[in-house]
Amino acid sequence: MDNGEVYITGTCVIRNNRVYHNGTLLSEVPQETELPEFLRAVYDRVSGQYPKFHKMDNLSKLGWLAAEVLLREAPFKGHLPERTGLVLANRSASLDTDLRYYDTVKDIASPALFVYTLSNIVMGEISIRHGFKGENVFFTSDTFDTSLMAGYLEQLFNERAVSACLCGWVEVMGPQYEVVLHKVERTDKGMAVLSADSLAPATI
C-alpha cells in the first residue's frame, strides 16, 4: 500500500493503572494495585487467549498489551508482513528484568528471566503475535525523543522500507511504567499526520 500520506491511525496510552485507546478510557484498576496484578487485569480485559503472556517480563507484557489494544479490532490491512515494522524506545532498556535475574543467580539462575534480559525482546513478542517481519529498532534515551523517532519513521516510509509500523515508548522500572504506542501507516486518512508533535505523549 503505497498511496496516501503517513498517518497515525491509532494510539494506546498505559499509565497510572489506566489504559486509553484513541483518547478514550478503556480499562482502569484501583491506584493501589501493583503492576503485575494490573497487567493481568488488562490481559483479561483485552485478550485472555494467549498463554505465553504469563511467561513474559513486565516490559514485554506492557508492549504486548498496548499492541493488542491497537490491533485486536483494527489490524493492519493491506500491508505485507515484510513491510510492517516496529520502532520502540525507552529509558531503562531491560534493567528491570536484569535486576530480577541478578537476584536469582545468587541461588539458581532463572532461564525464564534470562530470556528477557534484552530490551528488544518485547518487539519479538509483538512480532510473533501479529506476524510482523519488517524493519525493527529499539532506542534508549532519557526521554521519549519524538523528533528522532519521527525522523527515523519518515526515512523508512520515504524509502518504502515499510508501509505500516507500530512505534512509541515502552518503559518500566520497578513500579514506575508508561506506554505510548502508535499505529502508523500509509493510508488516505487517519487521526493525525506523522510528526514529532503528533507522536508526543498524550497528557491524559
Side-chain angles (χ1 to χ4, degrees):
M1 183 179 291
D2 289 325
N3 297 321
E5 283 199 76
V6 179
Y7 284 98
I8 293 175
T9 56
T11 297
C12 178
V13 176
I14 303 177
R15 60 163 74 104
N16 300 325
N17 285 4
R18 299 184 181 97
V19 180
Y20 297 88
H21 182 209
N22 297 337
T24 300
L25 182 63
L26 178 67
S27 181
E28 180 178 14
V29 301
Q31 290 298 301
E32 63 271 18
T33 304
E34 294 187 357
L35 180 57
E37 288 70 36
F38 166 67
L39 293 172
R40 177 56 191 263
V42 176
Y43 169 78
D44 290 340
R45 170 74 172 79
V46 306
S47 182
Q49 300 294 325
Y50 198 74
K52 189 181 178 185
F53 173 84
H54 304 289
K55 298 180 181 180
M56 298 179 196
D57 72 332
N58 289 338
L59 181 66
S60 294
K61 286 179 178 179
L62 280 164
W64 189 95
L65 285 169
E68 197 75 0
V69 168
L70 287 173
L71 298 172
R72 65 190 178 122
E73 294 179 358
F76 285 126
K77 293 182 179 180
H79 302 283
L80 295 173
E82 294 78 10
R83 296 185 63 197
T84 302
L86 271 168
V87 180
L88 301 179
N90 77 3
R91 178 184 305 110
S92 303
S94 60
L95 183 58
D96 182 72
T97 303
D98 295 344
L99 293 173
R100 296 173 194 274
Y101 175 72
Y102 180 73
D103 283 341
T104 72
V105 303
K106 300 171 186 175
D107 206 1
I108 298 175
S110 168
L113 282 175
F114 179 73
V115 169
Y116 293 96
T117 53
L118 289 173
S119 54
N120 63 348
I121 297 300
V122 60
M123 296 195 297
E125 298 291 4
I126 294 171
S127 296
I128 290 168
R129 171 64 164 166
H130 298 285
F132 297 171
K133 297 180 180 179
E135 177 82 15
N136 62 82
V137 64
F138 199 109
F139 296 109
T140 57
S141 60
D142 287 339
T143 59
F144 186 15
D145 189 340
T146 57
S147 295
L148 170 65
M149 183 159 290
Y152 190 82
L153 287 167
E154 287 169 1
Q155 180 176 349
L156 291 179
F157 278 97
N158 288 339
E159 293 177 351
R160 300 294 194 259
V162 299
S163 61
C165 191
L166 284 185
C167 69
W169 178 258
V170 183
E171 163 69 10
V172 60
M173 187 62 210
Q176 304 300 315
Y177 67 91
E178 181 182 48
V179 180
V180 180
L181 194 66
H182 301 288
K183 183 183 175 193
V184 180
E185 55 191 312
R186 189 177 294 281
T187 183
D188 57 0
K189 62 181 178 179
M191 297 167 58
V193 174
L194 173 65
S195 69
D197 289 339
S198 62
L199 291 177
T203 56
I204 51 179

